[in-house]
């Protein structure tokens, strides 16, 4: 091997090599593959486009553009790759989609979650909406002061006879 370079944040490695028999140089490209194990047990390569297509259906009629969908798909792939596993069960892909989609558009999140989590009643929707409302309330509360509680005021002596400060 003559040279080795990483691309795409380490997901692809280009190696420059030379043949020991004839000394000619050639390049090899090694790519870290990511596979999804479907519920049926079939394994297929991870596809950002499939993530985009699924989320696009949930975002139908919502103010979400293609760039945002592509960014979401990249975020999902990055989080799955960060696990270090070459094969990921399909339900984990769905879970990886929920967080970024919730940040992107809450209505699309509810649509996607209702299918992904198999909502079967109005109570399921009410619980999901209640969770979103709770999250909004937590975000609207003022953050505690990093300095802690207010410092005590210095003691001022009082005149015991009149009850006034001196």
């Amino acid at each position: 091997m003559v040279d080795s370079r990483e691309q795409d944040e380490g997901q692809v490695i280009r190696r420059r090599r030379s043949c020991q028999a004839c000394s000619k140089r050639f390049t090899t490209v090694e790519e870290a593959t990511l596979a999804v194990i479907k519920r049926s047990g079939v394994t297929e390569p991870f596809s950002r486009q499939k993530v985009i297509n699924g989320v696009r259906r949930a975002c139908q009629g919502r103010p979400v553009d293609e760039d945002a969908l592509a960014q979401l798909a990249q975020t999902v792939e990055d989080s799955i790759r960060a696990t270090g596993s070459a094969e990921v069960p399909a339900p984990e892909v769905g879970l990886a989609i929920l967080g970024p989609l919730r940040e992107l558009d809450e209505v699309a999140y509810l649509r996607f979650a209702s299918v992904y989590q198999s909502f079967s009643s109005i109570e399921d929707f009410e619980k999901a909406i209640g969770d979103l409302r709770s999250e909004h309330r937590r975000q609207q509360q003022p953050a505690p002061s990093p300095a802690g509680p207010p410092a005590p005021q210095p003691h001022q002596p009082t005149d015991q006879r009149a009850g006034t400060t001196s």
Side-chain angles (χ1 to χ4, degrees):
M1 179 174 50
V2 177
D3 186 29
S4 179
R5 297 179 187 205
E6 290 186 2
Q7 294 178 324
D8 294 333
E9 299 176 1
Q11 299 306 314
V12 176
I13 300 174
R14 292 176 48 95
R15 298 191 194 276
R16 192 76 180 132
R17 301 175 182 266
S18 66
C19 176
Q20 292 179 352
C22 68
S23 298
K24 287 191 176 185
R25 292 187 175 196
F26 59 96
T27 301
T28 61
V29 178
E30 302 168 18
E31 186 171 0
T33 58
L34 181 61
V36 176
I37 305 167
K38 311 232 0 153
R39 289 187 176 117
S40 65
V42 174
T43 302
E44 66 180 43
F46 175 84
S47 167
R48 268 189 239 150
Q49 193 58 49
K50 284 185 91 169
V51 171
I52 290 170
N53 291 343
V55 173
R56 183 183 289 125
R57 284 191 294 274
C59 292
Q60 194 168 3
R62 302 294 304 157
V64 176
D65 63 17
E66 288 297 314
D67 289 341
L69 293 177
Q71 180 60 46
L72 183 138
Q74 182 65 52
T75 300
V76 169
E77 182 176 0
D78 291 346
S79 70
I80 292 171
R81 285 191 185 276
T83 66
S85 179
E87 292 185 338
V88 180
E92 286 187 31
V93 176
L95 286 174
I97 290 171
L98 286 174
L101 183 56
R102 186 175 183 169
E103 295 293 318
L104 180 64
D105 187 276
E106 290 177 339
V107 172
Y109 162 79
L110 284 171
R111 290 175 179 170
F112 188 87
S114 72
V115 173
Y116 176 73
Q117 295 174 338
S118 303
F119 286 11
S120 59
S121 66
I122 193 72
E123 288 80 17
D124 293 336
F125 279 97
E126 288 172 341
K127 181 185 180 317
I129 291 169
D131 291 346
L132 287 172
R133 285 185 176 143
S134 295
E135 181 67 26
H136 281 281
R137 281 189 215 110
R138 277 194 298 274
Q139 290 175 352
Q140 291 174 353
Q141 290 179 348
S145 171
Q153 296 299 318
H155 176 69
Q156 295 181 347
T158 58
D159 184 339
Q160 294 297 326
R161 289 170 284 151
T164 61
T165 59
S166 48

